[in-house]
Amino acid sequence: ALEVLIYFWDERDGPELCGWWFGPAVGGEMVWAYHPSRKATTPPACEWNVPHDGDIDPAFTVTAAGKVSKAAEASKKKAEQPAAAEAQTSKRKAKPSEKAEIAKDESKDAEKEKGKKEEKAKKEKGKKEKTEKAEKKQLDKDEDEDCKKKKEGDAVAQREEDRKKRQDERRQREEERKKVAAGGAAKAKERAEEELLKAKAKEGDG
């Protein structure tokens, strides 16, 4: 006859496998039902997933009693023994030379961890300095651009001012030329009138 066991499995293989299981062997590949409870000290009475990767079967129930309950509790306690406790036990039983080796390994691990932290801090500092340098370079570039634009703007304003000044000078020269031309024409007219009067006077004398 096939033996059916109910046992609890801790998180050693991942939280998704932690819980209560139905199977022919503790920790075996073949399982029939699963319950994700981690707080129950005895097999849960209901809400089992049947099959183990299927939906909850409301008709499937478990009643823990007598030896079955005690065996399940023993299985749970055995499965819950952490690997850390086993490591501590190994350390306590270790010989002085082994203890020294363990201490040496721990010291090396601590040095490696310290080196990693220092390297990380160094990289972060370098990255920060690089970012600050790039920001300063960009700021200087922006200031140079602003200065260049200001100079260009000043040059444009100066050229515009010079152009207006030349226009005013040309206008003024044109007005003076017109005045001179007008004055010359008036004098020529006066001379013509004088010549005409002289000619008329000569004719009268004759």
Side-chain angles (χ1 to χ4, degrees):
L2 184 64
E3 187 177 13
V4 179
L5 302 177
I6 305 176
Y7 61 91
F8 180 84
W9 197 257
D10 62 13
E11 296 185 357
R12 68 183 66 188
D13 295 325
E16 67 277 2
L17 298 178
C18 181
W20 290 88
W21 296 85
F22 263 80
V26 175
E29 292 294 330
M30 182 183 294
V31 288
W32 300 300
Y34 167 71
H35 196 292
S37 176
R38 303 178 188 180
K39 297 181 179 180
T41 57
T42 57
C46 58
E47 296 185 351
W48 285 80
N49 295 83
V50 183
H52 69 92
D53 56 352
D55 296 329
I56 293 176
D57 185 351
F60 187 86
T61 59
V62 175
T63 301
K67 293 182 180 180
V68 175
S69 177
K70 291 180 181 180
E73 182 66 20
S75 175
K76 179 183 176 182
K77 288 182 179 180
K78 183 178 180 180
E80 285 181 336
Q81 290 179 351
E86 294 179 2
Q88 290 294 333
T89 302
S90 298
K91 289 182 180 180
R92 286 196 296 269
K93 293 181 179 179
K95 296 178 181 179
S97 59
E98 293 176 345
K99 288 183 178 180
E101 190 66 27
I102 292 171
K104 185 177 180 181
D105 291 340
E106 290 177 347
S107 178
K108 287 182 179 179
D109 292 339
E111 287 294 328
K112 287 182 181 178
E113 187 66 24
K114 182 180 178 182
K116 288 180 181 179
K117 289 182 179 179
E118 290 176 351
E119 184 67 21
K120 183 179 179 181
K122 185 177 179 180
K123 287 182 179 179
E124 290 178 351
K125 183 180 179 182
K127 185 177 180 181
K128 184 179 179 182
E129 289 177 351
K130 187 176 181 180
T131 302
E132 291 176 350
K133 187 176 180 180
E135 289 175 350
K136 186 178 183 302
K137 185 177 180 180
Q138 185 62 41
L139 183 61
D140 292 341
K141 184 179 179 181
D142 293 342
E143 290 179 352
D144 290 342
E145 288 291 332
D146 293 340
C147 184
K148 185 177 179 181
K149 288 180 181 179
K150 185 177 183 301
K151 288 181 179 179
E152 290 176 353
D154 293 342
V156 171
Q158 184 63 45
R159 287 196 295 271
E160 182 65 20
E161 185 177 347
D162 293 342
R163 186 183 65 80
K164 290 181 178 179
K165 187 176 180 180
R166 288 193 297 271
Q167 286 181 344
D168 293 339
E169 289 174 351
R170 283 197 297 270
R171 191 180 300 110
Q172 188 176 1
R173 286 195 299 271
E174 183 65 23
E175 290 176 356
E176 289 176 354
R177 187 186 64 77
K178 288 180 179 179
K179 287 180 181 180
V180 171
K187 288 181 179 180
K189 185 178 180 182
E190 289 177 359
R191 284 196 299 270
E193 289 176 350
E194 288 177 357
E195 291 293 332
L196 182 61
L197 289 174
K198 287 179 180 179
K200 285 182 179 180
K202 284 181 181 181
E203 289 178 359
D205 293 339

